[in-house]
Amino acid sequence: MVIRIAMVEDCLEDATRLKEYLMRYSKEEQVDFNIDYFDSAEKFLSQYQAVYALVFLDIKMSGMNGMDCAVELRKKDKVVSIIFITSLIQFAQKGYEVNALSFLIKPINYADIYMKLKKALDLVFIKEEHHIMISVHSGVCMISTDELMYVEIQGHRLKYHLVGETLEMSGNLSKAEKELSGFGFLRCNSCYLVNPKHVMSVKGMDIRVGSEILKISRPKRKAFMTKLTNWLAGENNRERGR
């Protein structure tokens, strides 16, 4: 697995030092990094795609500062981990407003970055198990499968219904089903893939997913109920094992 990292830093000397520390960590811990460097917040945001696991973001930069950049970044990507780089510790409280993971205080040293990076990568590996990348009209987007309630097909358009928002793109349900089968998603008819975590009830041919009522087709009902029962049994066994 290659971890993609973005560095946003307008001081070349500081960026070079950070990259050296990242490559040292990569060698010592045998983790592969793909590092992209941006010398301004504006350039970073204009070129941004949700492919990064981690963003190192300097707060004090000419032009847009790192804190304002983080606010705009969160509009594009709600899950990427952010580590601020700053010489001003008073910014720490504001960092929590954009869900920053942690801070590095300049001048940065390897011992500090080692601990912060280890924590960040532990979260990356956890996220990797519960996130998928999907293509949307503006590029790509990483979504949480835990927050994905169901996928709907209308014509040649897929709708990913998440808690709080719906993302739409072209595609086919069979491909989505193959990608999501490992996360327990079940086909209840030719139009829907549902996340059993969000199934509230099943009554006759109706299934309640969140606040929505979806239909189960007669040919698929028996197989769907069997798989749903097996999934629920597996969840109960995992709960008892904790």
Side-chain angles (χ1 to χ4, degrees):
M1 177 182 178
V2 178
I3 307 297
R4 293 200 63 172
I5 296 175
M7 297 190 308
V8 189
E9 167 66 76
D10 63 352
C11 175
L12 182 58
E13 181 180 351
D14 289 343
T16 300
R17 182 180 299 110
L18 175 59
K19 185 172 183 179
E20 288 175 354
Y21 288 158
L22 291 174
M23 297 314 296
R24 177 178 169 183
Y25 184 98
S26 172
K27 184 176 180 180
E28 290 180 359
E29 300 298 322
Q30 298 184 338
V31 180
D32 291 328
F33 292 148
N34 184 330
I35 304 169
D36 293 329
Y37 170 59
F38 302 88
D39 60 9
S40 73
E42 292 86 351
K43 184 182 295 185
F44 171 65
L45 290 172
S46 68
Q47 300 179 16
Y48 188 78
Q49 290 188 324
V51 296
Y52 298 105
L54 180 60
V55 175
F56 286 92
L57 186 54
D58 188 20
I59 289 182
K60 189 177 181 181
M61 293 187 288
S62 58
M64 179 184 285
N65 65 51
M67 196 61 69
D68 290 340
C69 177
V71 172
E72 294 303 311
L73 174 59
R74 280 293 176 237
K75 296 177 183 178
K76 298 172 178 283
D77 191 332
K78 291 180 172 59
V79 301
V80 65
S81 294
I82 299 173
I83 295 180
F84 282 118
I85 304 171
T86 182
S87 55
L88 304 171
I89 191 61
Q90 61 263 36
F91 278 109
Q93 183 175 356
K94 188 171 177 59
Y96 292 113
E97 297 175 11
V98 291
N99 195 26
L101 180 64
S102 58
F103 286 77
L104 288 169
I105 306 301
K106 291 184 177 182
I108 60 175
N109 61 74
Y110 183 67
D112 191 21
I113 197 172
Y114 180 93
M115 296 304 297
K116 302 290 175 62
L117 192 54
K118 189 175 188 307
K119 176 183 177 182
L121 294 183
D122 285 344
L123 290 176
V124 167
F125 292 128
I126 292 172
K127 286 180 181 179
E128 186 70 17
E129 297 176 0
H130 300 283
H131 286 76
I132 59 170
M133 196 79 73
I134 60 174
S135 298
V136 293
H137 70 279
S138 58
V140 293
C141 181
M142 185 178 288
I143 65 171
S144 166
T145 57
D146 291 331
E147 294 184 6
L148 178 58
M149 297 188 295
Y150 67 98
V151 183
E152 177 184 8
I153 185 77
Q154 290 184 356
H156 296 290
R157 303 293 294 175
L158 283 175
K159 293 185 177 182
Y160 284 69
H161 296 268
L162 295 129
V163 176
E165 66 177 325
T166 298
L167 301 176
E168 186 174 341
M169 69 221 65
S170 60
N172 64 76
L173 199 60
S174 294
K175 184 177 179 180
E177 181 178 20
K178 184 177 180 180
E179 185 173 23
L180 291 166
S181 61
F183 298 98
F185 281 70
L186 306 173
R187 180 89 76 108
C188 64
N189 65 25
S190 60
C191 298
Y192 301 115
L193 278 173
V194 301
N195 186 345
K197 292 181 180 179
H198 290 277
V199 172
M200 307 300 292
S201 64
V202 179
K203 294 181 180 180
M205 306 304 291
D206 293 336
I207 174 173
R208 183 182 175 191
V209 182
S211 61
E212 300 292 324
I213 301 296
L214 310 179
K215 291 292 183 181
I216 307 173
S217 68
R218 290 191 181 280
K220 292 187 180 295
R221 191 179 191 283
K222 182 177 180 180
F224 174 80
M225 292 304 299
T226 298
K227 291 178 180 178
L228 179 61
T229 301
N230 290 341
W231 184 88
L232 291 171
E235 280 295 289
N236 290 335
N237 287 336
R238 282 189 285 273
E239 287 292 332
R240 283 195 291 270
R242 289 175 184 173

